[in-house]
Amino acid sequence: MSTLSDLVHAQGCLTDDDVEWLHRLTGDGQLLADLASADIVMWVATNDGSFVAVAHTRPSGAATLFYRDIVGERVRPQWRTQVQGAFDSREIVDSSSPDWFEETPTRVRAVPIIRMHRKDGEEPPVIGVVTRHTNLGEARTPSRQQITFDECANDLFRMITSGEFPDLSAPTSPRRGAPRASDGLIRIDVDGISTFASPNALSAFNRMGFEDELEGESLAEVTTRILPATQQVDESLPVVVTGRAPWRTDIEARGVTVSLRAIPLKDHGTRIGAIILCRDVSELRHQEQELITKDATIREIHHRVKNNLQTVASLLRIQARRTHSDEARDALTQAMRRVDAIAVVHDTLAQGLTQKVDFDEVFHRVLKLVAEVAAAPNTRARTHSTGRFGVLPSEYATPLALALTEVVTNAVEHGLAGTEGTVTIDAVRTDENLHVSVRDTGHGLPEGRVGQGLGTQIIRTLIQGELGGSIEWNGAEGEGTEVSIDIPTRWMNK
């Protein structure tokens, strides 16, 4: 499905600043739809003089008119004159009589989208039109809440026509837990006095210890009374509860956490009040805290595993130094190197917040470790790495690190034994495949045959068994060796 940016850029009439403005407005499409109890559609002009729908939001508390998504469709003839009129006149245009849509009476309002900009003396541009489609077939005697919601929607539509909404100074934040109109809404006047509080908003404040009515009260004073005196207060709280800035904050009392979002209301630059959206996010914050605790625990486990592996590697190193058998010393040294490679992966996981690792960082450390340990006194090995492995899940990073450790070690110990040469590692990552090539300039494969030692068995087991990939050895005696590894990555990308 095409994104809003794709649809807008396809028309070729708008700038990047225009697109950013539309993105911000689309982010509040659900708020507009819920306040207006109507479908909200955003239109932009096309190169041939028509209009195309680039966004559509259905109301969450009322019947929708459009059971099928109309994004990407051109404006229908019955709305064309009204949409064009709003675009040309820079003013809100209401339908003069009920508009019938699929045998349902509707009322349509067309609102020009004007983007405010900083250039003095220039008229801000009209970059699109928002239409509000109200289902009159579902009309009933409006409650006080519905009347207030409708007034708030009209205030926001008026601000859209003057370029005062959306406010680009408002910080963007994750959608998860963001309060919506149905979660709780408080309307305050220019002095910060509550003129309306929805039942859900009042319930949220009651759960925090406020036992009276919110209406007629200063929201700032109410908040001050319910917050514990010893609690550290977010510096953004005063501007949120007074509606002076489009910010968000959380307040907590009696074990209840309520998220607040302020939307200042203006009339041609003059502040006339604000909408305060609120939502009880106690359970959500509790879950987030549990996740943070689990992440910290997992990182600590990786850190301890890394320390234990390094201890094991140190013990193997000590044992290797004390043994008198060259064969035993080599075996212990190889075991130490393998343990160190696993420790590198756990060390990287201990530093991050996810169970994925930047394998390029891991391999850089592993490569340095292998080059230092594997080279014999009479062997001078240079290593060179190109390409990128990218980010891998930990369950893939560990076996791949071990396998590449063995491959590079073989290239240094056997391919370059007693000589000077280069080992080149090249990685090519695609959506479907990871191809790794390890080439050395050493002796090559004796008689073109692959060895059957423990290292080769480990490599085959890890690449073919653990990673579901394939591996090939190519080369002839005296011409160096190339090891080609192919691993499917489609499972890693999920």
Side-chain angles (χ1 to χ4, degrees):
M1 182 177 179
S2 298
T3 64
L4 182 142
S5 295
D6 294 334
L7 290 167
V8 172
H9 282 303
Q11 311 313 315
C13 300
L14 300 179
T15 66
D16 289 339
D17 289 338
D18 296 334
V19 176
E20 172 62 21
W21 192 273
L22 294 177
H23 264 295
R24 286 295 189 103
L25 185 56
T26 303
D28 279 315
Q30 192 63 59
L31 172 64
L32 292 171
D34 291 345
L35 290 176
S37 297
D39 287 87
I40 300 297
V41 183
M42 183 186 298
W43 308 87
V44 297
T46 62
N47 291 321
D48 59 5
S50 183
F51 291 87
V52 65
V54 295
H56 170 217
T57 308
R58 296 178 174 87
S60 58
T64 181
L65 283 171
F66 308 110
Y67 295 97
R68 293 181 178 84
D69 200 342
I70 66 171
V71 171
E73 293 185 9
R74 288 179 175 266
V75 64
R76 302 194 179 193
Q78 67 229 59
W79 309 322
R80 171 67 184 272
T81 301
Q82 193 174 343
V83 170
Q84 188 70 56
F87 189 85
D88 294 337
S89 68
R90 307 170 66 90
E91 295 180 355
I92 295 175
V93 178
D94 288 306
S95 55
S96 56
S97 59
D99 174 74
W100 289 85
F101 178 80
E102 295 182 357
E103 300 182 355
T104 301
T106 67
R107 183 172 61 249
V108 181
R109 164 171 284 192
V111 181
I113 304 171
I114 295 180
R115 177 177 66 81
M116 188 58 65
H117 62 169
R118 303 297 181 185
K119 294 182 180 179
D120 295 332
E122 291 188 13
E123 192 173 44
V126 179
I127 60 176
V129 175
V130 165
T131 51
R132 162 183 171 171
H133 303 260
T134 305
N135 187 342
L136 298 180
E138 298 289 327
R140 56 184 182 272
T141 303
S143 64
R144 183 164 174 257
Q145 174 170 304
Q146 288 174 315
I147 293 173
T148 302
F149 276 26
D150 192 61
E151 291 173 350
C152 292
N154 290 335
D155 287 333
L156 294 179
F157 285 133
R158 187 183 62 254
M159 290 170 62
I160 292 173
T161 66
S162 60
E164 296 172 303
F165 187 79
D167 192 330
L168 295 188
S169 66
T172 57
S173 60
R175 297 289 177 198
R176 191 167 184 259
R180 305 197 331 183
S182 57
D183 297 320
L185 181 144
I186 302 172
R187 173 85 183 241
I188 62 175
D189 62 18
V190 70
D191 297 317
I193 305 300
S194 302
T195 60
F196 172 82
S198 71
N200 285 344
L202 181 60
S203 295
F205 276 81
N206 289 162
R207 285 192 287 271
M208 289 190 292
F210 181 73
E211 298 177 352
D212 299 322
E213 294 294 328
L214 281 172
E215 292 182 22
E217 296 279 351
S218 166
L219 189 59
E221 293 179 4
V222 168
T223 306
T224 302
R225 292 204 299 267
I226 63 177
L227 290 178
T230 58
Q231 180 175 316
Q232 187 175 3
V233 178
D234 186 353
E235 60 184 13
S236 64
L237 179 59
V239 296
V240 171
V241 295
T242 57
R244 295 180 179 274
W247 290 80
R248 297 181 183 179
T249 189
D250 286 355
I251 56 175
E252 184 176 355
R254 293 189 176 185
V256 176
T257 303
V258 173
S259 178
L260 300 177
R261 178 195 176 189
I263 305 173
L265 299 177
K266 299 179 182 179
D267 187 359
H268 294 88
T270 302
R271 192 167 60 85
I272 61 174
I275 298 169
I276 310 295
L277 301 178
C278 52
R279 176 182 179 183
D280 186 343
V281 293
S282 304
E283 183 61 28
L284 185 62
R285 295 294 180 262
H286 178 68
Q287 293 173 358
E288 290 175 348
Q289 188 59 45
E290 285 186 339
L291 289 175
I292 292 173
T293 302
K294 288 179 181 178
D295 284 341
T297 302
I298 292 172
R299 290 200 303 273
E300 178 62 21
I301 290 173
H302 284 302
H303 180 71
R304 294 188 182 187
V305 169
K306 182 263 296 184
N307 288 343
N308 291 338
L309 290 172
Q310 288 180 335
T311 300
V312 173
S314 297
L315 294 174
L316 291 172
R317 185 180 297 109
I318 293 171
Q319 190 66 40
R321 289 173 180 172
R322 293 191 175 185
T323 187
H324 299 292
S325 168
D326 291 341
E327 185 177 353
R329 185 183 301 109
D330 289 342
L332 290 170
T333 301
Q334 290 176 11
M336 176 198 69
R337 186 169 55 247
R338 291 160 187 155
V339 171
D340 277 335
I342 301 174
V344 168
V345 176
H346 283 281
D347 187 37
T348 305
L349 288 168
Q351 299 172 18
L353 294 175
T354 68
Q355 290 303 294
K356 292 187 177 183
V357 296
D358 182 350
F359 196 79
D360 294 287
E361 176 186 346
V362 171
F363 185 65
H364 175 74
R365 295 172 62 183
V366 169
L367 189 59
K368 184 177 180 181
L369 176 71
V370 171
E372 290 177 352
V373 177
N378 58 344
T379 301
R380 297 185 60 185
R382 297 182 299 274
T383 57
H384 179 62
S385 180
T386 62
R388 287 188 57 82
F389 291 89
V391 176
L392 299 178
S394 59
E395 59 266 30
Y396 291 93
T398 299
L400 183 58
L402 275 174
L404 292 178
T405 296
E406 295 296 329
V407 173
V408 176
T409 298
N410 286 344
V412 174
E413 287 187 342
H414 304 296
L416 302 179
T419 64
E420 178 179 348
T422 303
V423 178
T424 303
I425 304 95
D426 180 53
V428 179
R429 173 81 175 264
T430 67
D431 291 338
E432 297 292 326
N433 183 65
L434 171 63
H435 176 77
V436 183
S437 173
V438 181
R439 298 184 300 275
D440 67 66
T441 58
H443 306 294
L445 296 174
E447 301 179 0
R449 287 192 238 171
V450 180
Q452 299 297 320
L454 177 61
T456 302
Q457 294 179 28
I458 290 175
I459 294 169
R460 289 188 187 277
T461 300
L462 293 171
I463 297 297
Q464 297 174 349
E466 295 285 333
L467 298 173
S470 60
I471 183 168
E472 293 182 359
W473 283 264
N474 297 290
E477 191 167 1
E479 297 179 2
T481 303
E482 178 177 1
V483 181
S484 297
I485 299 172
D486 285 283
I487 302 170
T489 58
R490 57 184 179 276
W491 308 114
M492 303 183 192
N493 298 329
K494 292 185 177 181

